[in-house]
Amino acid sequence: MVRAHYAPRRMRTSRKFAACAALAAGVVVTAGPATASPLPTVAPKGSCKLVTVGEAGRILATPVGAGRQTKRTAQKTTSDRCVWAAKKKGTGGLEGQPLQLEIVVESGTTLAGAYNTAKSADPTKTDAVPGLGDDAFIKDLKLHVLVGDRVLSTALHNYRYPKPLTSEQIQQEEEDAARLALGRLSPS
């Protein structure tokens, strides 16, 4: 019977020791300087890391799969594209097609000129979008944001128009995606 009492007593002692060690570790951690600098944020690389799967799902209002990334370089312009698609085909979209969110980041020396040319090509179909990047416009229900020497574009694909989504709702979803992406876009 002595052994039966010995084991619990020994366990209580080890728990007390562990609790004291944890308390001491907590004191050490909280005893650091009160003005500790925040950890530097590292901007994600790749368009698929600009919006999380959960955020893409909230924008499309349906569960989505992981983003599919493609990169292309042509004529001194690099295009980094990511598309998130609804897990269920036809969800809010065209029959047999998944609703999609697309984000494209383009960079290159001639991109700012191309951006301005696209913006002024048909002013009746172009609407300025204030408060995003250096300049932003929406044309043909696709949002384009100039950020330094890069252009970030967002678009929804395979949706039914005007029901269940209106052009205003589509634009709002694209703006939400752009705000998230701009918050994580690394400096050029």
Side-chain angles (χ1 to χ4, degrees):
M1 273 200 162
V2 174
R3 284 189 145 169
H5 291 286
Y6 177 73
R9 195 174 301 151
R10 185 173 180 193
M11 287 179 67
R12 280 187 291 223
T13 304
S14 64
R15 279 192 223 146
K16 286 178 187 175
F17 178 76
C20 289
L23 182 59
V27 171
V28 171
V29 171
T30 59
T35 59
S37 61
L39 294 174
T41 57
V42 176
K45 295 188 186 248
S47 56
C48 286
K49 297 192 179 186
L50 298 175
V51 174
T52 66
V53 171
E55 291 166 339
R58 283 191 294 278
I59 289 167
L60 294 177
T62 186
V64 300
R68 299 185 95 185
Q69 184 175 15
T70 55
K71 287 186 178 184
R72 293 198 176 119
T73 301
Q75 300 173 351
K76 298 182 182 179
T77 300
T78 301
S79 175
D80 183 355
R81 175 180 184 254
C82 189
V83 176
W84 292 265
K87 287 183 176 181
K88 185 176 178 184
K89 291 183 179 182
T91 303
L94 301 175
E95 187 175 326
Q97 298 293 319
L99 186 60
Q100 297 176 334
L101 169 65
E102 173 190 40
I103 293 182
V104 180
V105 179
E106 297 174 295
S107 58
T109 55
T110 60
L111 210 50
Y115 171 90
N116 288 321
T117 301
K119 181 178 178 182
S120 61
D122 190 355
T124 60
K125 293 184 178 179
T126 304
D127 292 319
V129 180
L132 290 175
D134 299 329
D135 188 59
F137 71 92
I138 193 159
K139 183 176 190 174
D140 299 324
L141 293 178
K142 188 169 184 177
L143 177 65
H144 307 278
V145 183
L146 182 64
V147 184
D149 63 346
R150 294 180 290 178
V151 174
L152 179 128
S153 301
T154 60
L156 267 62
H157 299 291
N158 301 330
Y159 53 83
R160 286 188 294 267
Y161 176 78
K163 289 182 180 179
L165 297 172
T166 65
S167 59
E168 292 82 15
Q169 290 169 320
I170 293 166
Q171 180 175 341
Q172 185 60 56
E173 299 304 331
E174 291 174 355
E175 286 181 34
D176 291 346
R179 280 188 184 83
L180 290 167
L182 287 170
R184 295 184 180 122
L185 190 63
S186 64
S188 26

